[in-house]
Amino acid sequence: MSYSTSVQELIDQLGRLPGIGPKSAQRVAFHLLKVPTEDALRLAQAITEAKERVSFCARCFNLSEGGEECQICSDPRRESRMLCVVEDSQDIVAVERTQEFRGRYHVLQGAFSPIDGIGVEQLRIKELMTRVGEEDVDEVIIATNPNLEGEATASLLVKYLEPMGIRVTRIASGLPVGGDLEYADELTLGRALEGRKTLAEGNSLER
Amino acid sequence: MSYSTSVQELIDQLGRLPGIGPKSAQRVAFHLLKVPTEDALRLAQAITEAKERVSFCARCFNLSEGGEECQICSDPRRESRMLCVVEDSQDIVAVERTQEFRGRYHVLQGAFSPIDGIGVEQLRIKELMTRVGEEDVDEVIIATNPNLEGEATASLLVKYLEPMGIRVTRIASGLPVGGDLEYADELTLGRALEGRKTLAEGNSLER
């Protein structure tokens, strides 16, 4: 016995989601078949509605619901001199949670990874260049992930932004707060050493 | 910034699926927002259609598409003397894959677990009793999972079925084929020893 058509179709569609393997897809499908119809349809409805209502911000490519520009771009209280460049919309939520940044964002919609077919063309770099040229930007903070693709993206952006004469910064890498030196990997610890901060200047003549 | 209403609703609905935590729900939601609309809607459609077309078999409680009885129950070539009792519909697919069983099934729709609110009433035990009484069943094979809940369910079923004078069997526990003694847990190895099969009788007088 194999699964009937609609069950198989449901398993297939679920299996296409990221992080959901064939086994999980099967489990989720059977869960959906078991729960009351209204509960299952609420998910179907949520997908349909989100696709109808949510689009990408015309300026920064963040998600935007009900409007051409997103909440942040259309907020006049946000500083326009600082631009934080992130890979994805969910990274904006992470940065916002810190409450340390009051500027605007630019979402690249991915990271440079030629192997996966993501080159300069696939990222919103051209749009970033246009914004830096047109808007009154003093500093671009590159907040791509501190992994291979994110670092490659950062190097790439520096190459594009340097000639424009603006300040380009990169978020710090180092040990996470609450972390433990003993369990830190050597790359992270190396970065933490490299990016060390001066706490006292020592007995230099200038002081 | 928090997520907009429809994004949050999508994350919430995805987060209610089994095995999908808040982080995965967020990842899947952003994936769905990113892919072409038709791809996302295909999933919504698959859920809706599956819920419309698939119901539970009136006889064995397996999934059934387009009919009161499932594929297996309505197949006259299946032996009705053997009944394999499983916890869920997906277990039927696993048993069918072995091609070792030509009888019929009965799906309990769960396993005995009072802590989770699943008692005798929640399982399809009454319906199993009725079937054993009405159909011409010689043997009931209990194929619930070899874990705490599955074993408890098996003991419970034995208690109910024993007075009916039919043969009740339990699938074997032991080392998986291709497994390694060294890495087997003690419970499994204990079961493997307990359920050992005779390969040669030795020089007994009977032979």
Side-chain angles (χ1 to χ4, degrees):
Chain A
M1 188 191 110
S2 57
Y3 295 116
S4 64
T5 328
S6 15
V7 177
Q8 191 58 54
E9 168 71 4
L10 180 57
I11 295 173
D12 290 349
Q13 290 302 331
L14 287 166
R16 298 179 65 182
L17 299 177
I20 297 190
K23 277 277 156 192
S24 313
Q26 196 176 305
R27 190 150 62 111
V28 172
F30 279 98
H31 168 86
L32 286 170
L33 289 167
K34 226 181 196 175
V35 297
T37 303
E38 65 209 55
D39 288 358
L41 294 190
R42 218 170 287 145
L43 171 58
Q45 186 66 20
I47 297 168
T48 313
E49 277 191 17
K51 290 306 279 188
E52 265 170 18
R53 297 197 188 157
V54 179
S55 57
F56 292 110
C57 172
R59 185 192 294 260
C60 77
F61 302 97
N62 182 15
L63 296 177
S64 165
E65 184 163 354
E68 205 181 276
E69 287 197 354
C70 73
Q71 264 181 298
I72 294 174
C73 283
S74 51
D75 182 349
R77 288 165 305 175
R78 308 286 306 207
E79 287 173 40
S80 59
R81 301 190 159 269
M82 301 253 275
L83 210 56
C84 179
V85 179
V86 294
E87 295 180 15
D88 289 299
S89 299
Q90 48 273 58
D91 299 332
I92 293 187
V93 180
V95 176
E96 286 294 285
R97 229 181 276 125
T98 68
Q99 302 191 310
E100 293 278 340
F101 183 71
R102 296 296 302 155
R104 293 168 192 268
Y105 293 91
H106 189 82
V107 181
L108 294 174
Q109 297 191 323
F112 187 65
S113 177
I115 285 181
D116 305 314
I118 301 175
V120 178
E121 299 301 304
Q122 278 68 47
L123 302 173
R124 302 293 185 171
I125 294 180
K126 208 170 62 198
E127 289 87 348
L128 172 64
M129 306 298 291
T130 313
R131 285 186 70 184
V132 171
E134 288 175 358
E135 296 173 28
D136 216 12
V137 178
D138 286 341
E139 177 178 351
V140 171
I141 303 174
I142 305 177
T144 53
N145 291 324
N147 56 21
L148 202 67
E149 292 81 15
E151 295 294 356
T153 312
S155 314
L156 199 70
L157 290 179
V158 170
K159 222 178 287 172
Y160 279 96
L161 293 170
E162 215 169 18
M164 304 187 83
I166 48 155
R167 195 172 172 217
V168 180
T169 55
R170 176 90 177 101
I171 52 164
S173 273
L175 267 77
V177 177
D180 198 320
L181 235 76
E182 195 184 343
Y183 301 118
D185 63 289
E186 60 270 34
L187 278 174
T188 301
L189 194 49
R191 290 288 189 87
L193 284 168
E194 195 189 313
R196 66 192 179 278
K197 278 168 74 178
T198 309
L199 297 180
E201 284 293 352
N203 47 2
S204 75
L205 288 178
E206 286 82 4
R207 299 205 62 172
Chain B
M1 188 189 108
S2 57
Y3 296 117
S4 65
T5 327
S6 14
V7 178
Q8 192 58 53
E9 167 72 5
L10 180 57
I11 294 173
D12 290 348
Q13 291 302 330
L14 288 166
R16 297 178 66 181
L17 299 176
I20 297 190
K23 277 276 156 198
S24 315
Q26 194 175 305
R27 189 149 64 111
V28 171
F30 279 97
H31 167 87
L32 286 170
L33 289 167
K34 223 180 194 174
V35 298
T37 302
E38 65 210 55
D39 288 358
L41 294 190
R42 218 170 288 145
L43 170 59
Q45 187 65 21
I47 296 169
T48 313
E49 277 190 17
K51 291 303 281 189
E52 265 170 17
R53 295 197 190 157
V54 179
S55 57
F56 292 110
C57 171
R59 185 190 295 258
C60 77
F61 302 96
N62 182 16
L63 295 178
S64 165
E65 184 162 354
E68 204 180 279
E69 287 197 356
C70 73
Q71 264 180 298
I72 294 175
C73 282
S74 50
D75 182 349
R77 287 165 306 175
R78 306 286 304 208
E79 287 174 39
S80 60
R81 303 193 157 265
M82 301 252 276
L83 210 55
C84 180
V85 179
V86 294
E87 294 179 16
D88 289 299
S89 299
Q90 48 272 59
D91 300 332
I92 292 186
V93 180
V95 176
E96 286 295 285
R97 229 181 275 128
T98 67
Q99 302 192 310
E100 294 277 341
F101 182 72
R102 296 296 303 154
R104 293 167 192 266
Y105 293 90
H106 189 82
V107 181
L108 295 174
Q109 296 191 324
F112 187 65
S113 177
I115 284 179
D116 305 313
I118 301 174
V120 178
E121 299 301 303
Q122 278 69 45
L123 302 171
R124 300 295 185 170
I125 294 180
K126 208 169 62 197
E127 290 87 347
L128 172 65
M129 306 298 292
T130 312
R131 284 186 73 185
V132 170
E134 288 175 357
E135 296 172 26
D136 216 12
V137 179
D138 287 340
E139 178 178 350
V140 170
I141 303 174
I142 304 177
T144 53
N145 290 324
N147 56 21
L148 201 67
E149 291 81 15
E151 296 294 357
T153 313
S155 313
L156 199 70
L157 289 178
V158 170
K159 222 179 288 173
Y160 278 97
L161 294 169
E162 215 169 19
M164 303 187 81
I166 48 156
R167 196 174 171 213
V168 181
T169 55
R170 177 88 177 102
I171 53 164
S173 274
L175 266 78
V177 177
D180 198 321
L181 233 76
E182 195 183 343
Y183 301 116
D185 64 289
E186 60 270 33
L187 277 174
T188 301
L189 194 49
R191 289 287 190 87
L193 283 169
E194 194 189 313
R196 67 192 178 277
K197 279 168 73 177
T198 308
L199 297 180
E201 282 293 350
N203 47 2
S204 73
L205 287 179
E206 285 83 3
R207 299 204 65 168

